[in-house]
Amino acid sequence: GEDVEQSLFLSVREGDSSVINCTYTDSSSTYLYWYKQEPGAGLQLLTYIFSNMDMKQDQRLTVLLNKKDKHLSLRIADTQTGDSAIYFCAESTDYKLSFGAGTTVTVRA
Amino acid sequence: SAVISQKPSRDICQRGTSLTIQCQVDSQVTMMFWYRQQPGQSLTLIATANQGSEATYESGFVIDKFPISRPNLTFSTLTVSNMSPEDSSIYLCSVGLGTGRETQYFGPGTRLLVL
């Protein structure tokens, strides 16, 4: 499959903004996604962006896509303790998802 | 979105046995998928469950090991056959929704431990 890479860990103070970065290699990706997985839980779809867009905002979440550099980021504003989880970046080609390894976000008081 | 349920939610099995995992969706969907998440790892696509025809498997996965059924547009099963400890994983089904089926929602997963 195609490669999707993310940093493994992020520690952020409560109330600050979190930025999670992701790079991918498949230039034919049609959609890019961010999923959240809390301990012992399934995957929650947070947001997704079509490949011809460069930004999408949804409440505290902002997704930025640089298609030229194949770089995707997720910004979480005013990070809360409930945001502590693993965040997976994924790209879609022909409806099949390829996932990154996941970024573990720890929110400290 | 869709409400997706899986049964069982978790199981502990002996090596050499088989386990069938069920995935039920509350609406008719064209696209259903099965993924595996090995301990501490990311998700890997096992196969696309096609209604009325054989599943389409990804590289590294074969029908004899992971037979899949898709009898209708709301239900699918994945069987993990002749299990070994290396099959210990979370198995998740997902469905594609939206105009272009671009949004994929996941079931809660089945946590399997093989002893």
Side-chain angles (χ1 to χ4, degrees):
Chain A
E2 301 300 330
D3 287 336
V4 179
E5 295 190 355
Q6 317 177 222
S7 52
L8 295 181
F9 301 99
L10 176 68
S11 177
V12 62
R13 193 180 312 178
E14 189 176 9
D16 288 352
S17 292
S18 308
V19 179
I20 309 168
N21 294 299
C22 170
T23 58
Y24 61 99
T25 58
D26 188 353
S27 58
S28 64
S29 298
T30 49
Y31 291 92
L32 296 118
Y33 304 82
W34 286 103
Y35 286 88
K36 177 183 180 183
Q37 186 177 40
E38 296 181 77
L43 260 70
Q44 175 192 354
L45 176 62
L46 285 179
T47 186
Y48 66 97
I49 188 167
F50 187 45
S51 59
N52 70 352
M53 297 171 63
D54 51 19
M55 187 182 92
K56 181 177 181 181
Q57 187 156 1
D58 183 2
Q59 300 182 338
R60 292 192 298 124
L61 305 179
T62 302
V63 178
L64 295 178
L65 174 61
N66 181 327
K67 192 171 182 180
K68 173 177 169 290
D69 294 339
K70 299 189 185 67
H71 181 268
L72 182 74
S73 68
L74 174 69
R75 177 177 180 268
I76 305 173
D78 186 25
T79 310
Q80 303 298 308
T81 54
D83 295 323
S84 292
I86 302 175
Y87 291 79
F88 290 96
C89 166
E91 62 89 17
S92 170
T93 305
D94 295 331
Y95 307 112
K96 301 175 185 177
L97 298 185
S98 295
F99 285 83
T103 299
T104 300
V105 173
T106 302
V107 181
R108 60 188 193 277
Chain B
S1 65
V3 176
I4 306 168
S5 60
Q6 288 186 231
K7 289 182 184 178
S9 58
R10 60 180 68 238
D11 208 341
I12 301 173
C13 300
Q14 297 298 318
R15 70 175 65 207
T17 63
S18 298
L19 177 72
T20 295
I21 302 167
Q22 299 178 5
C23 178
Q24 179 76 53
V25 190
D26 68 344
S27 58
Q28 292 188 337
V29 295
T30 306
M31 312 203 78
M32 290 182 78
F33 306 89
W34 286 98
Y35 287 81
R36 180 176 73 181
Q37 185 178 24
Q38 294 178 296
Q41 304 290 316
S42 187
L43 284 82
T44 302
L45 178 63
I46 297 172
T48 303
N50 302 308
Q51 195 266 328
S53 64
E54 203 168 272
T56 306
Y57 290 84
E58 297 301 303
S59 176
F61 298 96
V62 296
I63 188 171
D64 290 346
K65 176 67 176 176
F66 297 103
I68 289 171
S69 79
R70 179 90 192 271
N72 56 53
L73 293 176
T74 64
F75 185 78
S76 178
T77 67
L78 169 76
T79 298
V80 186
S81 303
N82 188 25
M83 288 184 283
S84 67
E86 291 70 37
D87 294 319
S88 297
S89 295
I90 302 173
Y91 292 86
L92 302 102
C93 67
S94 75
V95 301
L97 296 176
T99 307
R101 297 183 290 280
E102 70 275 10
T103 46
Q104 282 201 28
Y105 295 93
F106 283 78
T110 295
R111 286 158 177 74
L112 172 62
L113 176 63
V114 184
L115 302 177

